[in-house]
Amino acid sequence: MTIGDQPIPGCPVIIPVIKGLVKIIGSKGSAEEQYKSPYSVAINKDRDFVTVDHDNNKLQITNREGTFKNILEFKQFKKPFRPRDIAISSDNKYHSLDGNNRHVVVSDENGHVIRCFGQNELKDPWGIGISPVDGNVYVTTRIGHCVRVYTQHGKYLRSFGSQGKGQGQFYWPLGVVISTTGMVFVADRNNKRIQVFNAHDQYLYSFDCQSGDGKMRYPGGIAIENDKYVYVTTEYPSSLLKFESCGKFVCRIDSDSDGLNCPIGIALTDDVPCRVVLTDTDNHCIKVFVQ
């Protein structure tokens, strides 16, 4: 190696490259830094991991190393709070999707409830995403087979989709994410595909790789990186996949030795390259990957 045609002292050097599974956070249980069926994960303004601890009926916050910071529990509702997914707005408001009470719970980082909405429209809500374009909140409803759209203040705006296999139809939609240009990506679980819509809810295209390492059987979680790459968790086989936003398969991030067992939630850090954080639901932990 040279700079200005002059050899760099000390060359050659060995530069270690970290790739693949780099961290496992948590184990099965109900104590701090333990989980029971974590469904989803998001990253707050402090770069902490906010995990939907589904079977423990709470949100648990850890730092990036996995050290416990806080637990949020909401016990004021008619039925026990049963979180399924979470999205965090640009002003750090937590939007938690409560499957038991069928509503969105908006709180601050300390667990103070600001508002709830969606009770009149949501049936079996499952996934939630916030548009970086207009701040609207997108919620997928599994047995409703559609996506419902709200303002951040909870006003119901519209819905799109119906049950079926056609373009713009769903069969158990789960994860949803919105790009900086307003494109909406939905994990259409039982149709084994990702569907993409524009900001006006119009169907654009789908991708549904069904062979090799990119085999997409029952996609659940979905995240997007810089509008260029889409990351998808699949239940069968349990895997973490990377695609170009146009749907072209890029690579599988995990390997068989990583032992994923029903991964669902997924979030991306702001590192370069980004770290992919996912909930390994049936292993009751969080796993962090570097590409």
Side-chain angles (χ1 to χ4, degrees):
M1 296 177 63
T2 62
I3 296 179
D5 296 326
Q6 298 299 312
I8 300 175
C11 288
V13 296
I14 298 175
I15 302 174
V17 177
I18 301 174
K19 188 176 182 180
L21 178 62
V22 295
K23 183 172 288 293
I24 299 175
I25 298 172
S27 59
K28 186 176 182 179
S30 56
E32 296 176 359
E33 300 176 24
Q34 292 184 324
Y35 307 100
K36 285 185 180 178
S37 299
Y39 271 19
S40 181
V41 62
I43 300 174
N44 66 17
K45 69 173 184 180
D46 298 319
R47 306 175 81 205
D48 297 325
F49 299 157
V50 183
T51 303
V52 168
D53 194 358
H54 178 265
D55 286 1
N56 282 325
N57 296 343
K58 63 188 179 185
L59 306 178
Q60 186 166 176
I61 303 169
T62 63
N63 66 17
R64 291 158 61 97
E65 299 305 312
T67 302
F68 171 81
K69 294 188 72 172
N70 198 10
I71 284 177
L72 304 187
E73 297 178 277
F74 305 101
K75 298 183 177 181
Q76 62 268 57
F77 305 127
K78 184 177 180 180
K79 297 180 180 179
F81 174 68
R82 194 77 160 171
R84 285 181 172 169
D85 198 5
I86 183 171
I88 300 178
S89 61
S90 58
D91 59 353
N92 209 45
K93 297 295 188 299
Y94 294 6
H95 292 64
S96 306
L97 200 56
D98 178 1
N100 247 4
N101 295 286
R102 300 189 301 182
H103 61 187
V104 178
V105 180
V106 184
S107 70
D108 64 18
E109 60 187 352
N110 298 310
H112 299 127
V113 175
I114 299 169
R115 70 181 66 90
C116 298
F117 62 85
Q119 299 94 328
N120 295 328
E121 299 86 22
L122 296 177
K123 295 180 179 179
D124 199 24
W126 195 272
I128 187 169
I130 298 176
S131 170
V133 178
D134 54 19
N136 286 342
V137 180
Y138 289 69
V139 180
T140 62
T141 64
R142 188 170 59 170
I143 63 173
H145 308 286
C146 68
V147 179
R148 299 199 184 277
V149 187
Y150 300 82
T151 69
Q152 281 197 35
H153 289 92
K155 180 183 178 181
Y156 176 60
L157 297 176
R158 62 188 186 274
S159 67
F160 60 94
S162 60
Q163 185 173 3
K165 298 181 180 181
Q167 296 179 353
Q169 294 184 312
F170 302 105
Y171 188 7
W172 280 26
L174 298 185
V176 58
V177 67
I178 302 92
S179 74
T180 60
T181 60
M183 293 173 64
V184 182
F185 294 75
V186 182
D188 189 5
R189 182 190 187 273
N190 284 10
N191 282 325
K192 304 172 187 176
R193 63 187 178 184
I194 303 298
Q195 291 202 70
V196 186
F197 302 81
N198 65 17
H200 304 290
D201 311 332
Q202 297 169 327
Y203 173 86
L204 297 177
Y205 59 91
S206 300
F207 51 97
D208 55 355
C209 183
Q210 292 298 311
S211 62
D213 282 345
K215 190 173 185 178
M216 190 188 301
R217 294 286 300 276
Y218 305 112
I222 187 168
I224 190 167
E225 177 191 6
N226 298 326
D227 293 347
K228 295 180 179 179
Y229 298 106
V230 175
Y231 297 81
V232 179
T233 57
T234 65
E235 191 173 345
Y236 302 111
S238 292
S239 57
L240 171 59
L241 309 177
K242 180 179 180 179
F243 297 85
E244 294 180 2
S245 59
C246 64
K248 181 181 178 181
F249 174 67
V250 177
C251 64
R252 178 180 172 184
I253 305 298
D254 72 308
S255 64
D256 290 341
S257 62
D258 296 327
L260 293 183
N261 191 3
C262 192
I264 300 180
I266 183 171
L268 305 176
T269 71
D270 57 3
D271 300 87
V272 179
C274 73
R275 297 194 173 207
V276 186
V277 186
L278 59 83
T279 56
D280 193 355
T281 302
D282 285 357
N283 283 325
H284 310 283
C285 64
I286 308 301
K287 290 184 176 177
V288 183
F289 292 82
V290 175
Q291 303 174 59

